[in-house]
């Protein structure tokens, strides 16, 4: 069972991910609505995994990944992207993200990503 921090500016997306993770037997320990909140919660909660939306107000996902990885090179981060964000996904992977999942979320794809990581 992984302890997960879900980051997305849309409450609906956070709820959807939370439900999927819980149905797969994982625990969502926190939710962040932007990159800055994710950084703060990451250092406080020390989750096993962070899901990171790419496009968010205040601080985008790529900047948040760089920041979290700078403080904890061992951090496990999976990007969540809408179609058409390949360039941003590539930047995030280069910054240290382990994988990406595309919206709308598919439970089997999320399960696959988790199995690959853990």
């Amino acid at each position: 069972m992984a302890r997960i921090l879900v980051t997305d500016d849309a409450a609906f997306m956070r709820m959807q991910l939370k439900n999927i993770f819980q149905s797969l037997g994982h625990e969502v320990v926190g939710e962040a609505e932007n990159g800055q909140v994710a950084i703060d919660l990451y250092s406080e909660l020390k989750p096993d995994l962070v899901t990171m939306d790419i496009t968010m107000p205040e601080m985008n996902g790529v900047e948040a990944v760089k920041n979290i990885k700078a403080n904890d090179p061992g951090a496990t981060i999976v990007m969540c992207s809408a179609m058409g964000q390949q360039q941003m996904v590539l930047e995030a992977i280069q910054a240290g993200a382990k994988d990406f999942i595309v919206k709308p979320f598919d439970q089997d794809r999320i399960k696959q990503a988790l199995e690959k990581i853990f």
Side-chain angles (χ1 to χ4, degrees):
M1 180 180 86
R3 297 173 65 256
I4 302 170
L5 170 61
V6 174
T7 310
D8 199 301
D9 57 326
F12 172 74
M13 289 296 180
R14 291 196 308 269
M15 187 184 74
Q16 205 181 10
L17 273 174
K18 186 176 181 173
N19 291 341
I20 291 171
F21 287 132
Q22 288 173 336
S23 73
L24 292 171
H26 300 286
E27 180 189 3
V28 174
V29 293
E31 294 182 37
E33 62 276 4
N34 65 53
Q36 186 56 58
V37 174
I39 291 165
D40 297 342
L41 284 176
Y42 182 85
S43 55
E44 183 188 318
L45 300 170
K46 301 276 187 257
D48 303 316
L49 172 71
V50 180
T51 63
M52 186 72 71
D53 186 22
I54 291 185
T55 314
M56 295 179 288
E58 279 186 59
M59 182 187 289
N60 72 38
V62 176
E63 289 305 310
V65 168
K66 288 177 182 170
N67 196 303
I68 290 171
K69 292 296 274 188
N71 292 318
D72 180 2
T76 303
I77 304 169
V78 172
M79 301 310 289
C80 300
S81 74
M83 286 305 226
Q85 293 182 312
Q86 286 88 342
Q87 187 54 46
M88 297 280 278
V89 168
L90 193 63
E91 278 180 53
I93 299 286
Q94 289 167 340
K98 293 263 191 278
D99 201 350
F100 68 96
I101 46 180
V102 178
K103 297 174 185 178
F105 300 121
D106 173 64
Q107 183 163 334
D108 290 337
R109 173 64 186 103
I110 290 173
K111 186 176 184 210
Q112 214 177 43
L114 291 173
E115 285 169 354
K116 190 167 119 182
I117 291 165
F118 296 114

